[in-house]
Amino acid sequence: TTMKQSPTASDAGSSATASFRAGSAAAFGEAQTSTERVNTVVRAVLDAVHAVIRDHQVTYPEFQAAKRWLMDLGEGGEWPLFLDVFVEHVVEEVAARSQQGTPGTILGPYYLPDQKRLPAVAALPARPDEPGSTWVLSGQVRDVDGNPVAGAELDVWQNSADGFYSGFAPHLPDGNLRGVIVTGDDGRFEITTILPVPYQVPTDGPTGELIAAAGWHPWRPAHLHLLVRASEHRTITTQLYFSGGRYVDDDVAHATKAELILDPEKLPDGTYRSEYDFVLERD
Ligand code: MBD
Ligand code: FE
């Protein structure tokens, strides 16, 4: 008999580490860092860790457990997952202080570049029997002065109805529910896909082990990821969420924002529709 392939934490973790090293995140820039900056920031990180040890009287067994866990995190390939779930939202918060237009939020570990380019009105690549509720997202990309942006790219990715991302789970075809939609002359787009579902951080890896040990929950609310970019404009990295959905007010990654929550309309035929416009600032 054959067993259904069940994706594991190491499928996702190792793939996220490999994809980060291959440069899907380097595209977002890496710091040219001075000695002074390293001294300031790393000194502050170490000071904060030392303060926690003193304030909470951390013991030798706890220190060794932490060391073992950090080694597991690296060996399991889960540094991208862990950092994007627990740290990235604050980096984004700082970046957002100098950003106009549509609010951004975290990138997360599962972006893959070079997906299929699609026209302004298109369906995301999906399996013939792709499970889930049909969802059509339409809208317009504009600049901060209200002018439509033609030829803008919406680089989108989401999970499938079983909760996994293509490229990070062996049972999904490459490129499934990923694509780059290019706006028409009027800046408009219409993307047909399925409703994303809540995402569970893998429970069988070190990040999941930590979450369980701390008594937290491992869930993100359902979300569609987008990079919205156009020449001479600043790229927005963001996500869209769904009002009333589970975990919208309790995201393990603290990455929701009120302006990014949709309330899709359910049509008589059982499909869902949303309108959302994106506003880009100039470079
Ligand atoms: C995700 O799908 C995600 O969006 C983030 C930020 C972290 C882990 C998994
Ligand atoms: Fe995600």
Side-chain angles (χ1 to χ4, degrees), residues 55-210:
D55 292 351
H56 297 276
Q57 305 204 39
V58 172
T59 65
Y60 258 103
E62 288 169 340
F63 174 59
Q64 303 298 17
K67 202 186 288 180
R68 194 269 303 158
W69 180 83
L70 286 163
M71 291 160 58
D72 290 348
L73 192 65
E75 286 167 20
E78 287 196 0
W79 272 109
L81 176 69
F82 173 76
L83 289 172
D84 295 353
V85 168
F86 289 109
V87 180
E88 189 185 356
H89 68 99
V90 188
V91 181
E92 196 286 324
E93 174 191 313
V94 171
R97 290 177 191 165
S98 66
Q99 192 181 318
Q100 315 292 306
T102 302
T105 187
I106 65 179
L107 175 69
Y110 299 143
Y111 173 67
L112 291 173
D114 306 320
Q115 299 302 309
K116 189 169 185 189
R117 276 178 79 85
L118 299 162
V121 178
L124 290 188
R127 293 165 288 177
D129 54 350
E130 190 68 43
S133 304
T134 298
W135 174 46
V136 179
L137 172 68
S138 58
Q140 187 182 41
V141 180
R142 292 190 297 270
D143 65 21
V144 286
D145 300 318
N147 306 304
V149 181
E153 298 178 353
L154 292 93
D155 193 343
V156 307
W157 67 107
Q158 64 169 91
N159 62 7
S160 53
D162 63 359
F164 297 100
Y165 285 86
S166 64
F168 301 90
H171 67 297
L172 294 170
D174 284 349
N176 205 241
L177 300 178
R178 296 175 180 271
V180 181
I181 289 86
V182 184
T183 61
D185 289 341
D186 55 1
R188 294 198 58 89
F189 62 88
E190 184 187 279
I191 306 168
T192 298
T193 181
I194 58 159
L195 283 174
V197 300
Y199 176 80
Q200 185 180 34
V201 171
T203 53
D204 60 333
T207 305
E209 180 194 9
L210 171 70

Side-chain angles (χ1 to χ4, degrees), residues 212-277:
W216 304 333
H217 81 250
W219 291 94
R220 297 209 63 223
H223 56 277
L224 175 75
H225 290 270
L226 308 98
L227 300 179
V228 185
R229 57 178 172 252
S231 58
E232 287 162 40
H233 294 76
R234 183 165 165 178
T235 299
I236 293 174
T237 302
T238 196
Q239 301 180 34
L240 294 175
Y241 303 94
F242 304 92
S243 71
R246 284 205 77 183
Y247 308 109
V248 182
D249 300 313
D250 192 18
D251 179 2
V252 65
H254 291 90
T256 63
K257 294 184 183 183
E259 304 92 318
L260 300 174
I261 300 175
L262 305 175
D263 188 9
E265 180 191 4
K266 188 174 187 179
L267 302 187
D269 65 0
T271 68
Y272 292 82
R273 260 167 217 270
S274 300
E275 278 265 333
Y276 197 84
D277 297 341

